[in-house]
């Protein structure tokens, strides 16, 4: 029930609208505005029920609070969800996007947004016809900022920081990295790691993608079923969430887990399972914050690619500090990262 979800949520506010002709629900979840306006992408997809759409918005908004604080960009956590009950009829897409745009505008900047799963740069331009609070769109070329290369760079510097923590040097030559998922993030990440001297193992459900990256970087393809038992220094999950769980942790043959996937741990207890096995874990919302960092900076008017990449590089020292603090307390980096977020929110 929607009222039950709202009662149980620790967020700041939710805004809900319903469009009767299309049977579409619009949700804007604003989790925390301590650092700045609640900001996050707008997702459009089919949901089994409005409750599922609202739950997704709340969960993702909370994740954005952590992500912004984790990369120290002055935004709060928010997320928009356009929850479809059935595929939209021709012409309804534009109508619903404009309605959503008016809803965003009514918040007068309390929520700002960008492209996400199920929305396109064209959709963002349609929303922007009604509101000033859309970021990450190049109006001249009608294209959206591609976060993949920035996220990949953040993961790259994060892997270096993890290797430095475990071996005393961030030199990647002689290190083996297994990339799971050769997509928007995995591909540029693989190239950067190979350039830095690492040996690459590549796995993807799409064998052609795995093979293309492996061929390019002189690496080896690993079958998706063999990922968890394959010996490597770094396992980089760059495909889907929850691949780090009680069953896979038993088999992992690496000393570091560091990749871009969201929600890598299936449940909170997995952080301590990794700690017990002596595997260093780079908290996902910190190491994969490169795209968010770039998005936040572009929203502040910074568009120079070199400057954006430089700022994303800050993820390396941030993770190094998290690893050091976790080491001092003999705890998981997840605990140290949570304290960093709480300190950042408290400082504001
Ligand atoms: P993508 O869709 O471009 O690539 C994902 C790749 O993983 C695809 O090639 C797919 O075939 C493969 N894949 C899917 N399931 C797999 C499995 N079980 N085993 C092996 N391969 C599998 O996605 P992306 O943009 O590269 O993002 C990768 C991950 O990083 C996602 O979890 C995403 O949520 C997260 N992430 C991405 C960004 C970004 O900037 N793109 C930012 C933050 C987090």
């Amino acid at each position: 029930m929607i009222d039950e979800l709202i009662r149980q949520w620790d967020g700041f506010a939710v805004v809900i609208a319903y469009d009767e002709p299309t049977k579409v629900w619009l949700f804007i979840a604003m989790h925390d505005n301590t650092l700045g306006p609640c900001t996050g992408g707008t997702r459009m997809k089919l949901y089994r029920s409005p409750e599922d759409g609202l739950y997704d918005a709340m969960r993702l908004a909370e994740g954005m609070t952590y992500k912004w604080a984790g990369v120290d960009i002055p935004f709060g956590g928010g997320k928009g969800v356009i929850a479809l009950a059935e595929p939209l009829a021709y012409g309804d897409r534009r109508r619903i996007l404009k309605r959503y745009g008016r809803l965003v505008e009514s918040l007068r900047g309390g929520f700002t947004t960008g492209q996400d799963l199920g929305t396109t740069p064209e959709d963002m331009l349609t929303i922007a016809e009604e509101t000033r609070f859309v970021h990450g769109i190049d109006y001249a070329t009608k294209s959206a900022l591609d976060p993949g290369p920035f996220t990949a760079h953040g993961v790259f510097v994060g892997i270096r920081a993890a290797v430095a923590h475990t071996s005393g040097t961030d030199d990647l030559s002689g290190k083996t990295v297994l990339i799971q998922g050769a997509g928007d993030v995995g591909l540029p990440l693989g190239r950067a790691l190979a350039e830095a001297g690492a040996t690459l193992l590549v796995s993807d459900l799409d064998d052609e993608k795995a093979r293309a990256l492996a061929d390019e970087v002189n690496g080896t393809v690993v079958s998706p079923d063999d990922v968890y038992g394959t010996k490597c220094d770094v396992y980089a999950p760059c495909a889907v969430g929850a691949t780090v769980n009680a069953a896979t942790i038993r088999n992992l043959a690496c000393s570091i887990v560091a990749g871009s996937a969201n929600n890598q741990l299936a449940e909170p207890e997995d952080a301590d399972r990794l700690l017990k096995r002596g595997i260093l874990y780079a908290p996902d919302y910190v190491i994969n914050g490169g795209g968010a960092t770039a998005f936040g900076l572009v929203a502040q008017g910074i568009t120079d690619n070199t400057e954006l990449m430089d700022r994303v590089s800050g993820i390396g020292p941030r993770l190094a500090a998290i690893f050091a603090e976790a080491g001092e307390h003999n705890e998981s980096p997840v605990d140290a990262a949570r304290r960093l977020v709480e300190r950042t929110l408290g400082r504001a």
Side-chain angles (χ1 to χ4, degrees):
M1 297 288 283
I2 282 184
D3 59 341
E4 195 59 28
L5 283 175
I6 294 172
R7 248 200 303 271
Q8 286 168 4
W9 198 45
D10 71 344
F12 170 62
V14 290
V15 175
I16 301 176
Y18 179 64
D19 187 64
E20 175 56 36
T22 54
K23 309 217 172 337
V24 170
W25 286 86
L26 304 174
F27 298 111
I28 294 174
M30 297 184 278
H31 179 254
D32 187 299
N33 61 1
T34 308
L35 295 181
C38 295
T39 300
T42 294
R43 181 167 285 205
M44 174 151 61
K45 67 188 267 268
L46 288 166
Y47 287 92
R48 274 181 315 173
S49 68
E51 285 81 3
D52 285 0
L54 175 60
Y55 179 71
D56 216 16
M58 289 173 154
R59 189 181 61 87
L60 293 162
E62 185 173 349
M64 288 310 300
T65 298
Y66 274 73
K67 187 163 285 191
W68 293 126
V71 294
D72 211 2
I73 295 280
F75 281 139
K79 201 81 183 186
V81 163
I82 301 176
L84 312 181
E86 53 195 43
L88 285 171
Y90 182 76
D92 280 348
R93 190 175 184 99
R94 183 170 164 76
R95 173 196 143 74
I96 203 70
L97 290 168
K98 283 177 74 78
R99 168 114 201 238
Y100 176 76
R102 289 195 293 279
L103 188 65
V104 172
E105 181 62 24
S106 74
L107 300 172
R108 299 288 186 269
F111 172 71
T112 67
T113 193
Q115 191 188 338
D116 197 73
L117 197 117
T119 51
T120 64
E122 287 72 27
D123 292 340
M124 289 299 121
L125 291 169
T126 307
I127 294 170
E129 288 174 20
E130 300 289 342
T131 177
R132 297 157 282 169
F133 303 112
V134 174
H135 301 305
I137 294 293
D138 183 334
Y139 288 85
T141 59
K142 298 190 176 176
S143 60
L145 179 81
D146 177 7
F150 298 103
T151 303
H153 183 59
V155 176
F156 173 70
V157 295
I159 287 176
R160 281 201 112 117
V163 167
H165 185 79
T166 53
S167 19
T169 162
D170 71 355
D171 185 3
L172 294 179
S173 51
K175 300 290 181 196
T176 302
V177 183
L178 193 163
I179 297 182
Q180 181 185 43
D184 270 5
V185 178
L187 193 65
L189 173 64
R191 288 175 179 149
L193 289 166
E195 176 94 354
T199 301
L200 268 295
L201 303 174
V202 187
S203 186
D204 198 296
L205 287 184
D206 181 338
D207 190 53
E208 265 181 40
K209 280 170 121 178
R211 199 153 295 284
L213 174 58
D215 286 351
E216 185 181 330
V217 298
N218 206 13
T220 308
V221 172
V222 172
S223 135
D225 294 338
D226 294 338
V227 163
Y228 308 107
T230 297
K231 199 171 169 346
C232 56
D233 295 292
V234 183
Y235 160 48
C238 299
V240 289
T243 62
V244 183
N245 53 50
T248 59
I249 290 171
R250 270 196 293 278
N251 292 331
L252 285 179
C254 60
S255 50
I256 293 167
V257 173
S260 73
N262 282 313
N263 305 318
Q264 289 168 35
L265 306 184
E267 52 182 354
E269 293 75 15
D270 295 323
D272 280 333
R273 291 189 180 111
L274 287 169
L275 183 68
K276 284 203 186 87
R277 283 226 40 218
I279 298 171
L280 183 69
Y281 172 62
D284 46 13
Y285 63 84
V286 181
I287 194 169
N288 75 12
T293 301
F295 176 88
L297 294 171
V298 168
Q300 292 170 3
I302 298 167
T303 52
D304 177 64
N305 203 61
T306 311
E307 188 174 350
L308 292 174
M309 284 294 186
D310 276 356
R311 295 285 294 270
V312 170
S313 297
I315 288 174
R318 198 159 303 123
L319 275 171
I322 288 170
F323 295 146
E325 189 172 321
E328 277 165 28
H329 292 83
N330 194 24
E331 63 183 4
S332 165
V334 169
D335 297 316
R338 190 174 307 118
R339 276 201 305 279
L340 172 89
V341 165
E342 281 160 8
R343 279 200 301 272
T344 306
L345 293 173
R347 196 184 64 211

